[in-house]
Structure formats: structure tokens, C-alpha cells
Amino acid sequence: MDRKINFLNTSSRSSYIKHILNRNFDVLIIGGGITGAGICLDAASRGLNVCLIEMNDFASGTSSKSTKLIHGGLRYLEQLKFRLVHETGSERSILHDLAPHIVKAEKMLLPIIKNGKLNKISTKAALLVYDYLANVKGDDRNKVLSKNQILDKEPLLKSNNLLGGAIYSEYRTDDSRLTIDLIKKSIDYGACPINYVKGDDFTYNKKGLINGIKCSDKFSDEIININSKIIINATGSWTDEVLKSRSKKLVLSKGIHIVVPKNKFNINQSVYFDAIDSRMIFAIPRDGTVYIGTTDTKFEHGKDKLDVLEKEVEYLIDSVKNTFSISIDKKDVISSWVGLRPLVKDGNKKVTEISRKDEIFISEKGLITIAGGKLTGYRKMAQRAVDLAFRSLKMKSKKSKTKSIKLFKYNKEFCRKKFNENGMTDKNFERLYNIYGDGCLEVLKIFHKENISKDFIFAEYLYVIRYEMCHTLLDFFTQRNSAVYFEIDQVNRYLDILEKHLVKRKFFKKDKWKKEKVNLKRYMSRITTFN
Ligand code: FAD
């Protein structure tokens, strides 16, 4: 790796692209969601020469639109997917060890109601099997609760239909931050991931096998040819577009989440509860908000039509009102997001019935495609894809190391100490640590060095453009710090501070600033108005 270039600094982009063009890669990955990012780290840490291209920002696809749970998938037991439950369940504690700043233990409350999806006996049995398959130990094991015990834990639950319930262990995460941390870590192992480069077409050798890709730089429109012995298609819901095959491999399922202020839905902890139909949904507190989701409906339109619909918001609100004694309305919704599950087609099965397991296939021309799966299983998916890449390269495979590659250098207490030594409040520390992990130390350094604003937002912005390849305001407020979802009431204030300093210091020309702000506002309007 050319150590003189900080690949993650947006100002190095043109030298970084030149660096990529001069290489002949072993593996090129198309797609910078969790699947591609996981493969990038696995392959680079096993000694392969790796490039990754992402046509928008890293994690801007489904990998920032999930329920943000690292979970064994209790509901997959219903589909008798024991291997999936075992694999994803066991992954949870591994991911917690690798990234404790973004994979955090979370107790999930499971109310059982009259005529609901669950009954006491089957739930108890299912949770026992779940704990066994997911290797849940000690205090983390599930507990069955009486009606009074569950009401003690969550007084907002309606008591008339309530029969009892259970509490079990899950982990919550930040999907886009996890993806970005993997991308950043892969660079330490010599990988070359780059965003805003779109793969348009393949190039072939004399035998007709793929040996590279024609791409376009989305900022300059320049055409770039990148050489690679193997190409892996990890494009999630875009898989069929990249495959250009006549028969579709995937079926897409749409899922939405809505965000309401905590004071409108003041639950004590995460709850997995019956929706108004025969499905179950989550309510998960985060910062000063609670998010609720999700839906699961077949999506057959163009991706530009991917918006949250009023009827979907009503479905989630009605489901909340059906289970909890609160007065809440769709006008209380302050934000939302919508994503597409890339599911591998399985005959004529409905999207709700299709397994979430991943599949890998290789085309006649040598393109490896990995599709389906879950955020939770990204590490194992990566391992399988890279094992296949080694076989295709006819190289002796090295063992995957990602089980021991930590995504942080300094632990929470060390970071807190540094903040305290610098006279910062715990509130400032917690917010920055929860977003950037030990990257918060660099934000602190920039904050002191620039000494320009009393608010951290300016230092945060400089951090992401210097150390996270963040190119736009929209990417900053979505994939980088999720402010448009969980701090939407602060975004205008943040924008005022940024505008004052960024335009003044010529980071932005006035017209560029205006354009970026319009893009951000347009997105904010899309996630707050529902038709
Ligand atoms: P994506 O994140 O979509 O990444 C694919 C990337 O490829 C995109 O960024 C796209 O821009 C890029 N791309 C496409 N074409 C090209 C091209 N030609 N050139 C360059 N780049 C290209 N899983 C869990 O484990 N826990 C959950 O709680 C959970 N909740 C979910 C809730 C919902 C509503 C949904 C929809 C999914 C949920 N999932 C969950 C599943 C999980 O989010 C997905 O399985 C995962 O994010 C898919 O990641 P991916 O990298 O395959 O796809």
C-alpha cells in the first residue's frame, strides 16, 4: 500500500484512483454494503490484493435501513431454519467482542397476548431451543414472565389481553457504522475500497472469462478500467442488474421503520410484539427516540419509487396502539427509513416465507455472486465467499482471521478518560463514542486544534471527510451519524453551524453548499412526508 496517501481523506481521491488503476487485483468486490465490506476485510486479511467499488456512499443501500439488530432470528425457528439460527445466534457474541462500541447487548421483552401469534407453551419451548442453538449462557438466558412481572417491566402494555410473556437476549447495532468500520479496517490490511465508483460492464480475457471491470467515477464521469482476477458481486438488491440475466435470482421485500419521540412512546426497553395482522414487529428505544418496524411486502417497482407510504405508517401506528396504552398518531412520526431485503427466489413462496439464508453462485464466465443473508451473518458469508475466491484463483486458501480482528484500538474507558482529562462532559463523550467508537479521540483532537466552534458538529464533519471518505452533507447526516433519523430536531441547528464555518473557510463554495443543502432537505422531506 502506498502509505503516503491517506485513502480515507476525500482530498486524496484523484491520487487514490491513480493508485487503483496501477494495480492488478486478486479480487474486486462490487458493492459497499455490509456484505461487500465483510468480504473486503476477510479477503485482505487473508493476504489477497483487494479492491471494492461502491456506486454511492458505503452502506447507503439496505445496510443503513435495517432494524439494526444483531440477532439469531427467533422467527426463523418457525421456518425450522436451525442452521441459520445457530449461525446468526452464535455470531452475536463474536461481533460484540469485535465491536463493543456498536454491537451492544439488549434485553428484548416478548409479551404474549390472547389470540396472538405466540402462546405460553410454544414460546417457552422456542426460547429454550433458541438459547441452545444460539449458545446463550448464564444470565443472558431467556426468562418466562407472569402477567404481573411483564407489566412491572413495561407498564405501558395493555393489560386486558395480556397473558404473560418472556424476556430474552438480543444485540442492537448501528448497521451503517458497522459497515464503515469494516471498510476502514480493511484498509489497514492493504485493501482499496472506494465509494462513488459504479461498475458498468465487465472486461474479458481471450478465454471469455471476466478479468476486470469498466467503471465510472460518479463525480467526474470519467471511465475507469480496473483489472482483477476475480470479481465478486455483492450488490444486494441490485444483484439482478449486475448479473444482467434474463431470469431473476432475487425477489425484493420492502421494509419500513418509523421514528417517534421517546416522550410519545415512553417504553423502558425494546419490545417484540404482535402487529395487527399475524406478524410481529419491534419497538426499540434509541437516544431520545423510539423506532418501530418493520413491514415485509413484495416490492416490484423501480428503486426510485422506494418511499414510505401513509398506509405503512398507519399499520405500524395501529399495531402500537393495539398493544400499548398510549395515544399516538401518524403526526407524531418525526422520521423514517425504508429498505429492500434482497431475498433469493424460492419458487412461488411469499416474501414473508422465503428464508433469509445467503447463497453463493458462480457464473460460466467466473463472476461470483453472493446474495440474500442478513447483516448478522456478514462475517460467515464473507468467509464462504472468500473460500470460493481462493478456489477460483487456484490458490491454497488461508484460514479466515476475522474472528479476532477487533474494530477498535482503544476501549471505552480509555476514551472516556481522555475526554474527562480535556474537561468534556460525559454527555458529549457518550454521543461521540456511540457513533464513532474510538474515532471520537480524533474528533476531540480536531475540536481542540481547529478551536472554531463550541459545538462538536464541525469537528465531526472534518473527521468524516478526512478519515471516512465522506463526500456529501447527505452522507454525513445519514450513513455517518444518522442525525436525520435520531436527532432530526437538531439538524437545522447543525446546518447553521456548519454553514457558518465551512463556507467561511472555503471548504465549500457557496453554490456547492446550496446544492448539497437542497439534496439533504429533499431527503429529509422524503422521510417525513408520507403519501
Ligand atoms: P446493500 O447494503 O444494499 O449493499 C449493496 C450495495 O451495492 C449498495 O450500497 C449499492 O449502492 C451497491 N451497488 C449496486 N450496484 C452497484 C454497481 N453497479 N457498482 C457499484 N456498487 C453497486 N439483518 C439483520 O441481521 N438484522 C436486522 O435487524 C435486519 N433488519 C432488516 C430490516 C429491513 C427492513 C431490511 C430491508 C433488512 C433487514 N436485515 C436485517 C437484512 C440486512 O439489512 C441485509 O441483509 C443487508 O443489509 C444486505 O446487505 P448487502 O451488502 O447485501 O446489500
Side-chain angles (χ1 to χ4, degrees):
M1 178 167 72
D2 186 343
R3 293 280 169 192
K4 280 179 279 186
I5 309 174
N6 170 7
F7 294 160
L8 290 163
N9 193 329
T10 45
S11 66
S12 312
R13 187 172 173 88
S14 53
S15 29
Y16 186 23
I17 289 180
K18 269 189 212 134
H19 172 85
I20 288 175
L21 293 180
N22 287 330
R23 304 268 293 264
N24 193 357
F25 292 99
D26 295 320
V27 175
L28 181 140
I29 301 143
I30 319 173
I34 191 79
T35 308
I39 296 170
C40 193
L41 177 60
D42 188 292
S45 59
R46 287 206 238 177
L48 294 174
N49 199 349
V50 186
C51 181
L52 177 148
I53 55 166
E54 163 54 54
M55 68 178 174
N56 292 312
D57 188 25
F58 300 122
S60 57
T62 306
S63 300
S64 51
K65 315 290 182 341
S66 75
T67 309
K68 305 177 197 299
L69 289 174
I70 295 294
H71 61 158
L74 192 54
R75 78 183 193 85
Y76 307 128
L77 272 185
E78 242 178 81
Q79 301 170 329
L80 305 179
K81 300 289 175 203
F82 297 121
R83 190 185 72 92
L84 185 66
V85 177
H86 172 62
E87 184 172 301
T88 51
S90 313
E91 277 301 286
R92 304 177 313 168
S93 54
I94 297 173
L95 300 186
H96 172 65
D97 281 349
L98 300 181
H101 56 295
I102 24 175
V103 179
K104 297 174 184 167
E106 176 86 6
K107 290 282 182 202
M108 189 68 73
L109 204 63
L110 191 66
I112 297 173
I113 57 170
K114 216 185 274 168
N115 302 323
K117 186 145 173 88
L118 305 169
N119 70 54
K120 271 185 165 173
I121 296 166
S122 64
T123 303
K124 190 168 180 185
L127 284 171
L128 279 174
V129 177
Y130 182 74
D131 279 359
Y132 171 74
L133 289 173
N135 268 333
V136 182
K137 303 237 161 67
D139 274 354
D140 282 347
R141 287 210 184 99
N142 78 79
K143 289 183 190 64
V144 173
L145 303 174
S146 68
K147 178 172 174 173
N148 284 342
Q149 283 172 321
I150 203 157
L151 279 170
D152 266 356
K153 291 210 174 284
E154 194 43 81
L156 287 183
L157 283 167
K158 279 185 178 167
S159 66
N160 51 344
N161 269 339
L162 194 63
L163 300 174
I167 190 158
Y168 69 104
S169 296
E170 288 287 24
Y171 287 82
R172 81 191 148 87
T173 191
D174 187 319
D175 43 10
S176 60
R177 290 300 320 174
L178 182 59
T179 306
I180 288 162
D181 276 3
L182 291 169
I183 291 280
K184 286 163 69 177
K185 187 44 99 183
S186 74
I187 291 179
D188 292 349
Y189 287 90
C192 295
I194 187 162
N195 51 9
Y196 289 99
V197 170
K198 179 170 185 281
D200 294 318
D201 235 323
F202 297 109
T203 57
Y204 301 89
N205 65 15
K206 284 184 191 144
K207 290 183 186 156
L209 298 175
I210 289 174
N211 67 357
I213 188 158
K214 266 188 205 154
C215 318
S216 39
D217 175 351
K218 288 198 56 183
F219 293 127
S220 67
D221 286 335
E222 239 175 88
I223 303 295
I224 304 169
N225 284 320
I226 308 177
N227 300 318
S228 181
K229 293 174 194 147
I230 297 285
I231 295 197
I232 301 181
N233 172 13
T235 53
S237 54
W238 287 265
T239 299
D240 282 318
E241 278 96 316
V242 171
L243 284 172
K244 292 185 180 139
S245 59
R246 256 172 279 148
S247 63
K248 288 204 166 146
K249 294 263 188 220
L250 292 193
V251 50
L252 304 181
S253 152
K254 179 185 180 190
I256 74 143
H257 289 82
I258 54 172
V259 185
V260 296
K262 184 98 196 297
N263 59 15
K264 287 280 168 193
F265 186 20
N266 201 0
I267 40 173
N268 292 328
Q269 64 183 96
S270 296
V271 190
Y272 186 38
F273 61 100
D274 287 82
I276 47 174
D277 49 11
S278 58
R279 300 181 56 253
M280 295 196 62
I281 60 173
F282 294 97
I284 301 176
R286 177 161 164 175
D287 308 325
T289 67
V290 172
Y291 64 92
I292 303 151
T294 178
T295 54
D296 193 354
T297 50
K298 194 169 180 181
F299 183 77
E300 293 178 294
H301 310 281
K303 294 194 180 67
D304 54 333
K305 301 266 182 330
L306 188 60
D307 280 311
V308 174
L309 304 178
E310 190 173 22
K311 63 176 184 198
E312 294 167 328
V313 174
E314 279 165 358
Y315 164 80
L316 293 179
I317 292 282
D318 289 347
S319 298
V320 169
K321 287 202 292 203
N322 203 36
T323 303
F324 297 88
S325 298
I326 56 165
S327 118
I328 191 170
D329 196 69
K330 56 182 187 238
K331 67 176 182 329
D332 295 317
V333 175
I334 52 170
S335 191
S336 70
W337 65 88
V338 49
L340 292 176
R341 293 176 191 85
L343 306 176
V344 181
K345 237 180 166 179
D346 187 357
N348 287 326
K349 273 192 183 168
K350 288 202 275 185
V351 286
T352 46
E353 291 164 357
I354 297 178
S355 160
R356 269 52 174 163
K357 74 178 181 5
D358 58 286
E359 276 189 29
I360 306 184
F361 27 91
I362 183 158
S363 76
E364 278 173 9
K365 298 191 188 292
L367 175 69
I368 296 176
T369 293
I370 179 158
K374 291 185 64 65
L375 187 80
T376 307
Y378 84 84
R379 210 183 56 83
K380 286 288 192 181
M381 286 168 70
Q383 231 168 283
R384 287 191 278 274
V386 178
D387 285 346
L388 181 56
F390 268 110
R391 285 203 292 281
S392 297
L393 285 162
K394 300 196 171 47
M395 282 168 78
K396 192 166 178 279
S397 176
K398 289 185 189 154
K399 223 174 150 218
S400 171
K401 294 185 190 166
T402 53
K403 196 172 177 177
S404 56
I405 299 178
K406 305 238 183 229
L407 301 180
F408 67 98
K409 200 163 160 199
Y410 301 108
N411 69 22
K412 185 168 184 179
E413 283 326 303
F414 180 88
C415 297
R416 187 196 300 281
K417 206 165 141 236
K418 289 279 164 210
F419 268 67
N420 290 344
E421 282 167 9
N422 282 277
M424 298 297 153
T425 62
D426 252 14
K427 194 172 162 218
N428 273 329
F429 165 69
E430 289 288 343
R431 180 181 170 280
L432 291 171
Y433 181 81
N434 285 338
I435 300 172
Y436 303 105
D438 61 3
C440 69
L441 296 179
E442 200 59 49
V443 178
L444 181 65
K445 234 191 244 171
I446 297 172
F447 178 80
H448 280 308
K449 193 161 171 233
E450 301 294 335
N451 196 19
I452 192 167
S453 160
K454 285 201 183 96
D455 200 288
F456 270 95
I457 201 73
F458 182 63
E460 260 182 74
Y461 184 79
L462 293 186
Y463 171 72
V464 299
I465 63 167
R466 288 176 188 168
Y467 296 100
E468 297 206 334
M469 224 188 277
C470 176
H471 288 280
T472 74
L473 262 188
L474 179 60
D475 296 342
F476 176 50
F477 285 116
T478 50
Q479 285 74 250
R480 295 312 189 286
N481 65 13
S482 294
V484 295
Y485 307 119
F486 304 113
E487 295 183 290
I488 196 159
D489 56 336
Q490 296 295 314
V491 171
N492 281 334
R493 188 177 70 80
Y494 289 157
L495 274 177
D496 288 345
I497 298 170
L498 289 180
E499 180 162 5
K500 197 163 129 211
H501 299 301
L502 290 173
V503 180
K504 193 165 123 199
R505 299 180 89 200
K506 300 198 169 60
F507 277 98
F508 271 92
K509 289 198 177 116
K510 261 199 174 139
D511 52 343
K512 181 168 185 263
W513 172 262
K514 233 172 149 180
K515 207 167 132 196
E516 296 239 341
K517 206 168 142 181
V518 167
N519 273 345
L520 173 66
K521 293 274 172 154
R522 196 176 295 141
Y523 183 71
M524 284 168 70
S525 155
R526 270 182 81 174
I527 60 174
T528 51
T529 43
F530 315 110
N531 298 310

